[in-house]
Amino acid sequence: QGDTIAWRAEVPLARRLRPLGIVDDVWDVRLHLTADGKRTTSRLTVGAVDLEHAEHVPVRPRLTRLMADRLEAQVSAKGHLAFRLTQQGRLARSGRAAVERNLHGRPARAAKGTYRRLRALRRELNSGARKLQVYERMLTRLPVRKGTVVFESHLGKQYSDSPRAIYEELRRRGAPITPIWSYAGERPEGFPKDAELVRRWSWGYLRALAQAEYWIDNQGYPLRLAKRPETTYIQTWHGSALKRMGFDEPGLRMLSEPEQRAYQQALDRFDHFVVRSEHDVRTLARAYRIPEDKLLRTGYPRNDALVRARQGAAPDPEVQKLAERLGIAPDRRVLLYAPTFRAGPDGRVRDFEFPFDVEDFAARFGDEYTLLVRAHYLNRLTLPPSVAGRVIDVSGEPDITPLMLLADALITDYSSVMFDYALLQRPIVFYVHDWEEYAQDTRGTYFDLLTEAPGPVPRTAGELFAALGDLSTVRTSYEARLKEFVDKYGEYDRGDAAAQIVDRFFGPAGEAR
């Protein structure tokens, strides 16, 4: 279909391959395929190809030809192509034999034994059990560092959401705090450069939590980490609930009494719990057994930007930069598709699958709309090259708020993004193709979305495309219901949530109390 595909083969082998000799004895082979700027890596399957009489390729290993001088093709245990370094010449055979003798001698055995013991000791020192032990017995006895705030969003996966909004409000005021952000994975990407960064579950992370004056997150620090009384834990949470949560879930109620007690102890760490409506009080707060005196009726700090945009505030420069980075022309209308998390039948994370033909969408609306697709951060998304430019994967964007500000309309299903985007008073289309399956499973829902949705509720792809083809009618037809929806589910979102929280806990002048 005119797509550009580039591929690269590592040839000629005799000239390009310079393996490490004895260190890398067997080499796996992988094909790197680049299609429209996206790189895919795959192994090569041998199939019915006969490698027995394949020619041995001469090579020049980095440890000289005393280690190996030929590369022999072979089939791996899983049927993939691989290469093994072999010795054909006299020097290579003699050199390899001498090395093998030394590797299995008494000094070598002693060195390998020492190495194995040190490796086992390192594993034990970095095990979860040992870290918990040190955290409880030693780290929590260290003095609290006044003004130190540990921030975390979505288990360290993002710099986003209400923790980010509170952090930026503190920075805007010049508050004298020591900010620490946790991140998950090997490398932190997109996190602020003016804060200390600690990898989740590292020793630095544990020490930061043990000595912090404040914990601020939107999901939950590791459940087994106790919070000392001198630390204030502000739980901002990450969305109002449609589906039943906490102890309203049958699965949680079926846990053993010790397991339920341990879970409750983790919830009891919250000193304050942010809510955005009385719906949150009746659902989330009750389901997680949060007492009245811990509730902060401030609204979500992450939604301050949405409220300000609805009230006519100047456009956010970050949104304009986002549009330019994504290659969206100023005259293009933008749709944001943000469905809820999807798991396989066994509950495991799975790749995201479109419930409609995305190529059909691009063919119908590609000249009018740019569709931004944001899969849940636990799902993986792959777009066909044929929709490039008309459908864009934005799942990697750290924060959804700029995406909502950029979008002229939202397509979702059961995601809590509906409660946030409604604040903009822009059209929302609810594509609930599997409502019965979702609503009637063991968890259930807190209300009937089909009757309360502030927008059309298509059940088929044809109905979805019909609604998208007439968004102006959607806007006018659901304007009143959208306002009622906001009044009911976002009554405390007034645009000053971050300011309220900073005022209360850090003082109007930004001085930590």
Side-chain angles (χ1 to χ4, degrees), residues 270-273 289-297 504-505:
F270 302 161
D271 294 299
H272 304 280
F273 188 86
R289 300 175 180 174
I290 310 295
E292 173 67 28
D293 61 351
K294 289 187 176 183
L295 299 181
L296 293 178
R297 288 176 168 83
R504 174 166 177 173
F505 296 101

Side-chain angles (χ1 to χ4, degrees), residues 265-324:
Q265 289 174 350
L267 297 173
D268 289 343
R269 297 177 302 173
F270 302 161
D271 294 299
H272 304 280
F273 188 86
V274 175
V275 296
R276 60 194 301 255
S277 68
E278 288 305 305
H279 169 74
D280 290 352
V281 177
R282 294 187 299 270
T283 56
L284 292 173
R286 183 180 59 81
Y288 289 112
R289 300 175 180 174
I290 310 295
E292 173 67 28
D293 61 351
K294 289 187 176 183
L295 299 181
L296 293 178
R297 288 176 168 83
T298 61
Y300 285 164
R302 73 182 186 194
N303 288 339
D304 291 346
L306 302 178
V307 175
R308 289 195 295 266
R310 185 191 67 205
Q311 295 172 343
D316 188 338
E318 183 179 351
V319 177
Q320 180 60 37
K321 292 178 182 178
L322 173 65
E324 294 173 356

Side-chain angles (χ1 to χ4, degrees), residues 52-89:
E52 184 177 353
H53 301 95
E55 180 182 355
H56 292 192
V57 181
V59 293
R60 296 192 298 274
R62 289 179 181 171
L63 294 184
T64 80
R65 295 195 180 195
L66 292 177
M67 298 296 100
D69 57 6
R70 288 293 185 274
L71 202 62
E72 174 185 329
Q74 68 174 35
V75 184
S76 72
K78 295 184 177 181
H80 297 131
L81 177 63
F83 290 109
R84 176 183 291 278
L85 289 171
T86 62
Q87 300 76 35
Q88 185 177 38

